[in-house]
Amino acid sequence: MTVLTEQEFRVKSDEALENARRSLLPLADAEGFEVELQNGVLNLVFEEPSETKFVVSPNAPVRQVWVSAMARSYKLAWSPDLGGFALDGETLPRLLERLARQFVETS
């Protein structure tokens, strides 16, 4: 496991949140939810099928990006092999897309 310095983590986590935001925009437009990046925190805001928010935030002390979605917490660490933050081989954008689709389709 690669340990990032605090500065490396800040740069990479900012890039990861911006990349995730951009990759989710087409799905957000199609499914009618908002993707907001403010103050270093990414929010996915759903009004339908029920009011819900997914929160994606960097956690500098442990060098992880944390996702809170659908009553679960996901903790993604930097993966040099994947070039991004990942959990069990699933990158942040893919995780968020999967969770967003799951929420929209099952609710």
Side-chain angles (χ1 to χ4, degrees), residues 56-69:
V56 184
S57 57
N59 188 320
V62 292
R63 309 291 196 270
Q64 294 177 331
V65 172
W66 289 6
V67 177
S68 177

Side-chain angles (χ1 to χ4, degrees), residues 11-72:
V11 170
K12 290 184 183 306
S13 63
D14 286 349
E15 289 173 354
L17 294 184
E18 177 58 31
N19 290 340
R21 184 191 71 79
R22 277 199 309 269
S23 73
L24 286 167
L25 289 175
L27 180 62
D29 287 343
E31 298 294 345
F33 64 91
E34 297 294 320
V35 182
E36 304 167 345
L37 181 58
Q38 296 177 324
N39 302 320
V41 176
L42 181 66
N43 293 303
L44 283 62
V45 182
F46 301 86
E47 291 183 9
E48 298 291 336
S50 62
E51 285 192 26
T52 299
K53 183 187 289 189
F54 295 0
V55 179
V56 184
S57 57
N59 188 320
V62 292
R63 309 291 196 270
Q64 294 177 331
V65 172
W66 289 6
V67 177
S68 177
M70 300 189 310
R72 285 203 50 205

